[in-house]
Amino acid sequence: MQLRVGTRRSHLAKTQTHEVIDQLRESHPQLDIQVLVFSSIGDQTTGPLPSTYPGLFTSTLDRALINEQIDFVVHSLKDLPTQQAPELVIAATPKRHSAFDVLVTSDGTPLDQLPYESTIGTSSLRRTAQLLSVRPDLKIELLRGNVDTRVEKVLNQTLGAAVLAEAGLSRLNIDTKFLQRIPMNIMLPAPGQGALAVECRKNDLSTLRLLERINCPLTRATTAAERTFLASTGGGCSVPIAAYAEQHENQIRLRGEIYSTDGRECIAVCDTASDPVTLGNQLAHKAIEMGAKKLLNRE
């Protein structure tokens, strides 16, 4: 069987794509998969990412998929808009890597011991708000580029510190003693962080059946709860909304947080249920009743 997979040009995107290819070949050793590289709008944007444009890192690949230039695509789930094109479906969400964020410094200094008014690099409004909520003195600097480039800027002391996803560092085998995992009571992750989404066309049944074999039911359920919370609060990938779900006594426990961009206000909710979509909707409605819409609309 021959298939074409689309990927972005970044080192991490290619690594994630080959991770999925390796999983597929475990059950189909003779599978012939051609990798086609695309440049997304997000890759071409050097300044701050516009929060009003959905799918900055995914729309180019999705169009190629719809136009049958490729047969499937691997996305970072946290980058994928909650509203998909009707022709497409998430065929699989493989087992999730770590959902934690990490602080990268040149000497291993933890977040609470960074010098007053230290500069931290990030391109995430969520991380910015969460950092400022615990350290309002910090100076936030826009940080774009590949993961290894961001780490190098810190290690050569061009930048004081940076916050990155632990999963990306792990996938790239960036292992340094100067990484400090940030606890989730300080920095709850973005919905879907650490997980991959493998998309294909709904009408491509043979590819769909093949991809379904690498799906992790637990990852599918927990990330569905997180993304439902995100969608039902009216948020997108670029707003300060955090959510994380995990298995809890055969049910799913979901935590959600919505921040003001300056980190001074936060609406936090938590609940447990058996159905992930119902849980995500219930927590979103609770957050809205607590003022989430007003908080988001003020940004």
Side-chain angles (χ1 to χ4, degrees), residues 6 12 38 54 106 119 140 157 166 185 202 205 262 272 294:
L12 178 58
F38 295 80
S106 61
T119 300
I140 308 299
Q157 299 186 347
E166 186 173 41
N185 64 328
K202 284 182 180 178
L205 298 183
D262 60 8
T272 303
K294 294 180 181 177

Side-chain angles (χ1 to χ4, degrees), residues 76-178:
S76 291
L77 185 56
K78 69 181 180 66
D79 293 334
L80 191 65
T82 54
Q83 295 296 322
Q84 284 182 275
E87 302 94 332
L88 304 181
V89 63
I90 298 176
T93 48
K95 186 177 180 180
R96 189 181 206 165
H97 282 220
S98 167
F100 283 93
D101 288 296
V102 294
L103 179 71
V104 184
T105 63
S106 61
D107 59 3
T109 303
L111 180 61
D112 61 352
Q113 295 180 28
L114 287 175
Y116 184 74
E117 294 188 343
S118 290
T119 300
I120 296 187
T122 180
S123 60
S124 164
L125 287 178
R126 171 189 62 86
R127 290 171 180 152
T128 296
Q130 291 169 323
L131 287 168
L132 293 176
S133 71
V134 294
R135 288 288 306 268
D137 62 291
L138 295 174
K139 297 185 182 300
I140 308 299
E141 181 174 314
L142 175 67
L143 182 62
R144 297 291 311 282
N146 294 334
V147 172
D148 41 8
T149 301
R150 300 185 196 192
V151 172
E152 186 59 32
K153 285 182 178 180
V154 176
L155 296 183
N156 66 22
Q157 299 186 347
T158 303
L159 183 66
V163 177
L164 299 169
E166 186 173 41
L169 296 169
S170 174
R171 286 186 167 107
L172 294 177
N173 294 316
I174 298 177
D175 183 16
T176 168
K177 61 183 178 181
F178 302 135

Side-chain angles (χ1 to χ4, degrees), residues 1-298:
M1 185 176 182
Q2 295 182 331
L3 292 173
R4 299 158 300 168
V5 59
T7 180
R8 289 167 51 211
R9 64 189 182 193
S10 75
H11 185 192
L12 178 58
K14 292 177 181 178
T15 299
Q16 291 175 164
T17 297
H18 283 284
E19 178 182 316
V20 168
I21 291 173
D22 289 343
Q23 291 183 43
L24 290 171
R25 283 179 173 157
E26 285 183 9
S27 56
H28 292 77
Q30 305 305 317
L31 197 59
D32 181 10
I33 301 180
Q34 179 185 7
V35 179
L36 301 180
V37 180
F38 295 80
S39 180
S40 73
I41 296 172
D43 294 323
Q44 299 164 20
T45 304
T46 57
L49 297 175
S51 60
T52 55
Y53 192 103
L56 281 167
F57 295 104
T58 61
S59 59
T60 301
L61 287 163
D62 283 352
R63 282 196 302 271
L65 188 53
I66 292 170
N67 294 334
E68 300 188 13
Q69 295 173 260
I70 51 179
D71 301 302
F72 71 98
V73 62
V74 179
H75 293 303
S76 291
L77 185 56
K78 69 181 180 66
D79 293 334
L80 191 65
T82 54
Q83 295 296 322
Q84 284 182 275
E87 302 94 332
L88 304 181
V89 63
I90 298 176
T93 48
K95 186 177 180 180
R96 189 181 206 165
H97 282 220
S98 167
F100 283 93
D101 288 296
V102 294
L103 179 71
V104 184
T105 63
S106 61
D107 59 3
T109 303
L111 180 61
D112 61 352
Q113 295 180 28
L114 287 175
Y116 184 74
E117 294 188 343
S118 290
T119 300
I120 296 187
T122 180
S123 60
S124 164
L125 287 178
R126 171 189 62 86
R127 290 171 180 152
T128 296
Q130 291 169 323
L131 287 168
L132 293 176
S133 71
V134 294
R135 288 288 306 268
D137 62 291
L138 295 174
K139 297 185 182 300
I140 308 299
E141 181 174 314
L142 175 67
L143 182 62
R144 297 291 311 282
N146 294 334
V147 172
D148 41 8
T149 301
R150 300 185 196 192
V151 172
E152 186 59 32
K153 285 182 178 180
V154 176
L155 296 183
N156 66 22
Q157 299 186 347
T158 303
L159 183 66
V163 177
L164 299 169
E166 186 173 41
L169 296 169
S170 174
R171 286 186 167 107
L172 294 177
N173 294 316
I174 298 177
D175 183 16
T176 168
K177 61 183 178 181
F178 302 135
L179 301 180
Q180 294 280 337
R181 179 181 279 184
I182 303 175
M184 286 194 185
N185 64 328
I186 294 176
M187 189 166 284
L188 200 67
Q193 183 162 304
L196 301 178
V198 188
E199 271 189 320
C200 70
R201 291 181 297 278
K202 284 182 180 178
N203 62 3
D204 186 354
L205 298 183
S206 60
T207 301
L208 181 59
R209 285 193 291 267
L210 177 68
L211 297 176
E212 284 176 339
R213 298 183 183 183
I214 63 171
N215 183 64
C216 172
L218 178 58
T219 299
R220 170 82 81 171
T222 53
T223 56
E226 296 164 16
R227 284 168 58 79
T228 300
F229 176 78
L230 176 66
S232 296
T233 51
C237 306
S238 301
V239 296
I241 295 180
Y244 182 68
E246 56 192 335
Q247 190 172 31
H248 180 72
E249 296 179 352
N250 296 320
Q251 290 192 311
I252 297 171
R253 180 173 180 261
L254 174 64
R255 288 176 283 167
E257 294 175 353
I258 300 171
Y259 285 83
S260 60
T261 53
D262 60 8
R264 293 181 180 180
E265 296 180 72
C266 175
I267 292 171
V269 289
C270 181
D271 207 346
T272 303
S274 57
D275 182 74
V277 174
T278 300
L279 177 59
N281 280 321
Q282 287 176 343
L283 270 195
H285 293 151
K286 183 176 181 180
I288 290 170
E289 290 175 354
M290 296 169 65
K293 290 287 187 183
K294 294 180 181 177
L295 199 61
L296 290 172
N297 291 336
R298 195 164 68 239

